[in-house]
Amino acid sequence: MKTKSKLRPDKGNSLLSFPQDYTVIDTETTGLDPYYDEIIELSAIRVRSGIVCDEFSTLVKPINSIDDFIIELTGITNEDVEDAPRIKDVLPDFLNFIGNDIIVGHNVNFDINFIYDYSTMCCGKPFTNDFVDTMRISHYVFPDLKHRRLADVAAAIGINQKQAHRALADCLTTNEILKGLQSSGIDPEEAHRIASRGVRASDITGESGMLQPDNPLFGKVCVFTGTLSITRKEAMQAVANIGGICGDSVTAKTNFLILGNYDYCNSRKFEKSLKQQKAERLILKGQDIQILSESAFFDLIGKGENE
């Protein structure tokens, strides 16, 4: 049984860059939660100087049966995985294939969370590779794109996605997406710096017809700190749309401080931002401030990372 934990303190860094040598990974799973759900397919492709030079792919036999929805989504049936290896038997080979490479994936936090938890359980060590998320970079290259699923970003670049929801095919599509994003000429790290410092809470107004009076963030002052998987402006807009109030700094009026997932994990190592330090001081003085991870924030606003 896997240990239920929302924190992965040794998780690698999310990079805003275009590496030349890396491994693209993708998984297919029986659901979205690493605690309750299982991996049913693992794939990876090794890239050197932009060229695919090796690949790894295997089905994985889960403990529980694959339900009809996942079968319809992926095309992977219970019969397909009947003779496949269990995750504990195949994961060491998968991790050896990856080695110390930078990981590339689309919405790769999802895959890494599964691999991190299974690696900790099966191999006695966390999965610590740094990673590049093509979905995150797509926010800077295609700021007006409504949805950022693999198929959406592939279509925006002009890539013909031959097969969806199979791990090896998705690895190949993700690799082409990375090349397409790089060819845009946009420096994602610089774009992130500009986006982060350029937006102010006073610039954000809610879109009509989207208020959610029953949402815990409605009417509450929300402040962000750290590196998010979406732009700071998009995060503020999500708060304003449901009727929340955005703030630029932590004050006695702040109700929620939202940390990027990596920063939330890092804070457990006492590497805390000035905003978090101030929020904690105010909490100790009796102020009603809650500190949330980015994942918890997404849960509250009803936004899936696949969107």
Side-chain angles (χ1 to χ4, degrees):
M1 181 176 179
K2 288 173 278 184
T3 301
K4 188 174 184 180
S5 174
K6 292 184 178 180
L7 293 178
R8 298 174 178 87
D10 297 312
K11 190 174 177 179
N13 299 317
S14 177
L15 309 177
L16 285 168
S17 62
F18 295 111
Q20 287 298 302
D21 299 332
Y22 53 89
T23 295
V24 184
I25 67 168
D26 190 67
T27 63
E28 297 301 332
T29 66
T30 58
L32 302 177
D33 192 320
Y35 178 63
Y36 296 105
D37 300 308
E38 301 178 74
I39 295 173
I40 55 175
E41 189 172 34
L42 280 170
S43 292
I45 57 174
R46 182 180 296 134
V47 179
R48 294 293 181 265
S49 300
I51 305 297
V52 176
C53 61
D54 204 355
E55 64 182 43
F56 180 106
S57 190
T58 181
L59 292 172
V60 180
K61 184 177 182 178
I63 294 173
N64 300 299
S65 297
I66 305 171
D67 68 27
D68 291 342
F69 170 73
I70 298 299
I71 292 173
E72 181 69 23
L73 181 69
T74 65
I76 300 172
T77 67
N78 288 295
E79 290 74 19
D80 290 335
V81 299
E82 182 61 34
D83 297 322
R86 297 287 191 183
I87 188 65
K88 65 181 179 64
D89 298 318
V90 74
L91 187 62
D93 292 335
F94 181 74
L95 295 176
N96 285 336
F97 180 87
I98 294 171
N100 296 319
D101 269 14
I102 292 173
I103 299 301
V104 172
H106 194 79
N107 189 21
V108 75
N109 271 293
F110 173 87
D111 307 281
I112 286 176
N113 288 347
F114 270 89
I115 295 168
Y116 186 107
D117 291 357
Y118 272 110
S119 180
T120 302
M121 179 184 67
C122 298
C123 305
K125 60 181 180 180
F127 185 62
T128 61
N129 298 50
D130 291 344
F131 56 93
V132 172
D133 190 343
T134 53
M135 186 175 75
R136 183 184 180 199
I137 293 177
S138 75
H139 284 275
Y140 303 107
V141 179
F142 302 109
D144 298 323
L145 198 60
K146 185 176 181 180
H147 298 291
R148 301 181 186 280
R149 295 161 297 192
L150 187 72
D152 301 313
V153 179
I157 294 174
I159 297 168
N160 180 22
Q161 188 180 14
K162 296 179 180 180
Q163 185 182 22
H165 298 296
R166 288 304 300 265
L168 185 59
D170 285 352
C171 283
L172 295 169
T173 299
T174 299
N175 191 47
E176 292 304 309
I177 285 175
L178 184 73
K179 294 178 181 179
L181 294 173
Q182 185 172 15
S183 68
S184 70
I186 290 176
D187 180 343
E189 191 167 4
E190 178 62 20
H192 173 75
R193 283 196 293 268
I194 293 171
S196 296
R197 71 168 178 261
V199 62
R200 306 289 296 178
S202 57
D203 299 331
I204 306 297
T205 57
E207 299 174 3
S208 61
M210 299 183 68
L211 294 179
Q212 298 179 22
D214 58 345
N215 192 289
L217 301 183
F218 183 84
K220 302 297 184 181
V221 177
C222 301
V223 176
F224 295 90
T225 187
T227 301
L228 306 176
S229 63
I230 60 177
T231 66
R232 189 69 59 85
K233 182 177 180 180
E234 287 173 312
M236 287 185 172
Q237 189 66 61
V239 169
N241 287 348
I242 62 177
I245 304 164
C246 297
D248 293 317
S249 58
V250 173
T251 70
K253 295 181 179 180
T254 302
N255 302 114
F256 291 93
L257 176 65
I258 298 100
L259 282 65
N261 281 336
Y262 174 71
D263 301 272
Y264 188 85
C265 292
N266 233 20
S267 71
R268 298 292 168 152
K269 302 176 183 177
F270 308 104
E271 298 175 8
K272 300 178 181 180
S273 69
L274 294 177
K275 286 181 180 178
Q276 184 174 355
Q277 292 175 42
K278 184 174 182 179
E280 290 177 349
R281 289 196 299 270
L282 289 171
I283 291 169
L284 292 175
K285 291 180 180 179
Q287 294 295 327
D288 183 17
I289 301 175
Q290 295 186 53
I291 299 175
L292 304 178
S293 68
E294 181 181 356
S295 294
F297 168 68
F298 282 149
D299 288 341
L300 288 179
I301 65 174
K303 176 182 175 63
E305 291 185 354
N306 285 317
E307 295 180 1

